């Protein structure tokens, strides 16, 4: 087939970038909902990370993630939380999520401020910066207002 035609079909908004929303609207909606619930409850990425990492080992395992999903009212079952956890894993076979993994996705950032509405294209849970320059986790909207957070 014709690659240009395929790309044009996938690039619904004609932006020249195939966003995560265009690639998989269902998963985009699920991740966005999780992100919105996190920030609604915890207000900042730093507070959200501390809630996610309940045992303070600087990574989130499946049980921590399932518990926070239930607390947020994110999903109707532990299986649904497990599906989201697997989607957010940075690579196949990995058993935990580190803060950096969520920063890349725009789910949890290193700065305060509103969540990104489009985490960018994802391949096995990781945005592809070559396909989407917006996948760069560097804050642009409120960086000057909010500034970096101290660790």
């Amino acid at each position: 087939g014709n690659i240009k035609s395929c790309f044009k079909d996938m690039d619904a908004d004609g932006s020249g970038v195939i966003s995560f929303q265009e690639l998989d609207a269902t998963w985009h909606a699920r991740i966005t909902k999780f992100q919105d619930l996190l920030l609604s409850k915890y207000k900042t990425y730093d507070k959200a990370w501390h809630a996610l990492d309940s045992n303070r080992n600087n990574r989130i395992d499946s049980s921590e993630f399932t518990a926070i999903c239930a607390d947020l009212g994110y999903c109707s079952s532990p299986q649904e939380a497990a599906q989201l956890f697997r989607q957010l894993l940075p690579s196949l076979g990995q058993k935990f999520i580190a803060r950096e993994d969520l920063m890349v996705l725009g789910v949890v950032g290193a700065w305060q401020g509103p969540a990104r509405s489009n985490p960018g294209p994802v391949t096995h849970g990781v945005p592809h910066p070559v396909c989407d320059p917006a996948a760069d986790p560097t804050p642009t909207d409120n960086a000057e207002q909010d500034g970096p957070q101290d660790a």
Side-chain angles (χ1 to χ4, degrees):
N2 183 332
I3 299 264
K4 286 184 181 183
S5 175
C6 179
F7 186 90
K8 186 177 177 182
D9 289 344
M10 292 181 76
D11 183 20
D13 65 4
S15 66
V17 174
I18 299 172
S19 69
F20 184 29
Q21 185 172 14
E22 291 166 322
L23 187 63
D24 192 330
T26 300
W27 274 108
H28 178 266
R30 289 176 181 177
I31 290 172
T32 299
K33 177 182 175 184
F34 176 73
Q35 183 179 26
D36 290 347
L37 288 169
L38 267 180
L39 287 178
S40 176
K41 180 165 184 157
Y42 298 106
K43 309 299 182 216
T44 68
Y45 288 112
D46 192 48
K47 289 177 184 176
W49 174 256
H50 287 293
L52 286 164
D53 184 24
S54 62
N55 66 6
R56 305 292 181 254
N57 67 350
N58 292 318
R59 54 192 199 179
I60 304 162
D61 62 33
S62 181
S63 62
E64 286 174 302
F65 192 82
T66 301
I68 202 75
C69 284
D71 183 53
L72 292 171
Y74 169 76
C75 39
S76 58
S77 70
Q79 292 80 14
E80 193 176 342
Q83 288 174 347
L84 180 60
F85 179 77
R86 285 190 303 273
Q87 179 69 19
L88 294 174
L89 288 171
S91 62
L92 297 174
Q94 189 162 328
K95 303 289 184 201
F96 63 87
I97 300 169
R99 184 175 183 143
E100 297 78 31
D101 303 329
L102 295 180
M103 288 169 59
V104 168
L105 287 171
V107 173
V108 173
W111 61 92
Q112 293 181 0
R116 291 181 55 172
S117 62
N118 182 356
V122 172
T123 305
H124 298 296
V126 179
H128 195 291
V130 173
C131 297
D132 182 7
D136 178 9
T138 307
T140 55
D141 297 339
N142 294 323
E144 292 180 44
Q145 263 181 319
D146 297 326
Q149 263 191 351
D150 297 329

